[in-house]
Amino acid sequence: EVQVVESGGGLVQPGGTLRLSCEASGFSFSSYSMNWVRQAPGKGLEWVSYISSGSSSTRYVDSVKGRFTISRDNAKNSLYLQMNSLRVEDTAVYYCARDGNMDVWGQGTTVTVSS
Amino acid sequence: DIQMTQSPSSLSASVGDRVTITCRASQGISNYLAWFQQKPGKAPKSLIYAASSLQSGVPSKFSGSGSGTDFTLTINTLQPEDFATYYCQQYNIFPYTFGQGTKLEIK
């Protein structure tokens, strides 16, 4: 079964850090680009970051540039999002999604930034 | 950034109806357009990619069309499980962007 499973969310204070993980199975992970997408409570979907299949290209939404870093380990079939200097407005469910057309999504992991 | 505008933002319909949701891009995106369905508390589900291609396993009652700046999602013969929020998304140019969503409710 093709699937991705996120983990690593939690409650963190403003200015804190978290590292999200996304483990893929059932497909050739190294052949696909990957994305992180988030959804704040009661709001719509927002694309956060992209990484190419071989990690040569990464992209970010302006609001997280310089604070978040996307990476992957193809040997471990895993995608990561290092989140530093977290803000209250980063509170959201974070999803990993496969490829540009986002054909496969995980169940999401919840990040809450609050004092 | 490319702005994606969906209309309507909400829609009431009855079981058995056919509905159409429109998505307009602020600049041309060729056919790099996807549609998603999301139910409360659940992850989005991919329905359509490349504007008109049905994802594997998605029933043929869903169809997409359009190219350039104007796109539509049509859902035929609504069933109770189709009432959800629908999003379009462009993946032609970074940053990828989503429409604001269309909430489809039972009349």
Side-chain angles (χ1 to χ4, degrees):
Chain A
E1 179 188 6
V2 172
Q3 65 176 355
V4 292
V5 178
E6 303 92 339
S7 61
L11 173 63
V12 62
Q13 292 187 337
T17 66
L18 273 178
R19 188 192 195 207
L20 305 184
S21 299
C22 169
E23 185 169 348
S25 59
F27 65 97
S28 179
F29 179 72
S30 61
S31 298
Y32 290 87
S33 65
M34 297 294 294
N35 300 275
W36 287 100
V37 177
R38 66 185 178 184
Q39 187 169 36
K43 303 297 184 182
L45 300 169
E46 180 184 37
W47 171 81
V48 173
S49 186
Y50 157 96
I51 187 167
S52 61
S53 58
S55 302
S56 61
S57 176
T58 59
R59 301 292 183 107
Y60 301 91
V61 69
D62 281 349
S63 60
V64 309
K65 282 181 183 175
R67 300 189 299 121
F68 290 10
T69 302
I70 192 171
S71 63
R72 65 191 294 163
D73 184 337
N74 286 344
K76 295 183 178 180
N77 291 335
S78 293
L79 173 73
Y80 307 101
L81 187 67
Q82 178 67 43
M83 304 188 296
N84 299 332
S85 303
L86 281 161
R87 304 169 180 169
V88 170
E89 55 265 34
D90 295 318
T91 294
V93 176
Y94 285 73
Y95 298 99
C96 63
R98 187 178 79 168
D99 215 355
N101 66 46
M102 303 192 194
D103 59 345
V104 178
W105 294 66
Q107 83 290 347
T109 188
T110 301
V111 172
T112 303
V113 184
S114 175
S115 55
Chain B
D1 299 0
I2 297 176
Q3 184 175 358
M4 305 300 291
T5 303
Q6 290 181 230
S7 60
S9 294
S10 63
L11 177 59
S12 293
S14 300
V15 171
D17 284 353
R18 181 175 77 170
V19 298
T20 296
I21 299 168
T22 297
C23 179
R24 175 164 289 176
S26 60
Q27 65 186 78
I29 58 170
S30 184
N31 69 335
Y32 292 91
L33 191 283
W35 289 98
F36 303 93
Q37 176 194 67
Q38 188 178 34
K39 297 180 179 179
K42 300 295 187 182
K45 174 187 176 182
S46 177
L47 299 175
I48 302 281
Y49 66 98
S52 60
S53 297
L54 205 62
Q55 287 287 3
S56 175
V58 174
S60 58
K61 63 188 303 180
F62 293 94
S63 63
S65 66
S67 183
T69 60
D70 294 312
F71 303 86
T72 60
L73 172 70
T74 298
I75 312 170
N76 288 304
T77 316
L78 284 172
Q79 295 300 308
E81 61 268 23
D82 300 327
F83 292 91
T85 300
Y86 293 85
Y87 295 93
C88 63
Q89 177 240 339
Q90 68 82 16
Y91 54 102
N92 186 49
I93 295 174
F94 290 107
Y96 294 162
T97 45
F98 289 87
Q100 81 278 14
T102 295
K103 188 173 184 179
L104 177 57
E105 298 176 303
I106 299 178
K107 185 181 290 182

